[in-house]
Amino acid sequence: MAEPTVYQYRLRTPEGYWLADVVMRSDGYFSTVSDWGNYAFRWTNPGCEFRAFVARLEKDPGYVCSKLGRSDWWDGKRTLKAIREHIIEYRRDGSYSKEEAKEAWESVVKALGCWHRRDARSIDEIDIGQFAVWCAGTEVEMPYEFARNDYPPDVRSFAREVMPVLAAAIREQLKAEAAAVPATGSEAAHG
């Protein structure tokens, strides 16, 4: 079995600032050191030439995040938004009476540590401790299902900022390699 080919990329912004160093092997190995963290993964069956596969990943940052990180970062903004949308929706569709909706709102206000609902409106995030207080003090069914997690910001930034630059470098490299391949057979004879 032949040794895998190693590809190295030193990626920079258009202004020349360093973004990341990426090392890949033709057998599916990928590692990087970047301003947004250091990651490694190995794809065992990418289904095509590995560099071409990695270049296509710029269009799927969620997939990149799933391979380089875990979706265990607390997302307080999305969590609070989900709670608020639930209360509004249940009041609109009649699932909550006016009194039940008021109680639901009050449990959010208390969890956020506010005195009045108008004060709570300016808050756009609930921390994990406040969420636990809300869960313990609300009548909303299955409150823990409102918790939202995401990939850490560093992983998401890597997928958003570095992967497009890496994809462009790979496409440029593949294009140069294709242009350097001499014409064969009838193409060479007919120039």
Side-chain angles (χ1 to χ4, degrees):
M1 187 165 150
E3 288 293 312
T5 303
V6 176
Y7 305 100
Q8 296 184 52
Y9 303 90
R10 177 164 286 155
L11 305 175
R12 299 191 173 278
T13 66
E15 297 81 22
Y17 298 107
W18 179 78
L19 280 175
D21 288 333
V22 177
V23 176
M24 298 173 16
R25 288 192 324 228
S26 58
D27 64 355
Y29 173 83
F30 175 96
S31 66
T32 183
V33 174
S34 79
D35 278 342
W36 293 278
N38 308 323
Y39 309 101
F41 192 77
R42 186 161 191 272
W43 282 268
T44 56
N45 189 12
C48 62
E49 201 271 351
F50 186 58
R51 290 177 297 165
F53 169 78
V54 172
R56 289 196 308 248
L57 294 180
E58 78 170 307
K59 295 183 169 123
D60 197 350
Y63 177 76
V64 171
C65 289
S66 76
K67 298 303 179 189
L68 303 181
R70 292 178 28 177
S71 180
D72 58 3
W73 179 77
W74 175 256
D75 191 335
K77 287 185 180 196
R78 285 183 45 229
T79 299
L80 184 56
K81 183 179 179 190
I83 294 167
R84 287 175 169 159
E85 287 175 350
H86 168 79
I87 296 169
I88 291 168
E89 179 184 330
Y90 269 48
R91 178 63 186 124
R92 280 188 185 145
D93 73 11
S95 297
Y96 283 169
S97 67
K98 186 176 183 179
E99 187 59 36
E100 289 169 322
K102 181 180 178 191
E103 288 174 16
W105 283 119
E106 291 305 318
S107 68
V108 173
V109 170
K110 286 178 187 174
L112 293 173
C114 299
W115 294 102
H116 304 285
R117 269 199 286 169
R118 70 177 175 273
D119 296 335
R121 288 183 193 138
S122 65
I123 296 174
D124 66 349
E125 185 169 356
I126 188 169
D127 69 36
I128 199 161
Q130 292 168 326
F131 180 71
V133 168
W134 176 74
C135 288
T138 188
E139 296 296 319
V140 172
E141 291 183 25
M142 298 183 288
Y144 287 97
E145 290 188 7
F146 291 92
R148 299 294 185 263
N149 291 312
D150 199 351
Y151 295 100
D154 283 353
V155 175
R156 287 184 284 124
S157 293
F158 177 85
R160 185 181 62 247
E161 302 294 332
V162 176
M163 290 306 290
V165 177
L166 176 60
I170 290 170
R171 283 192 295 273
E172 185 177 307
Q173 183 182 47
L174 292 172
K175 185 178 175 182
E177 287 174 8
V181 173
T184 59
S186 61
E187 292 177 10
H190 299 294

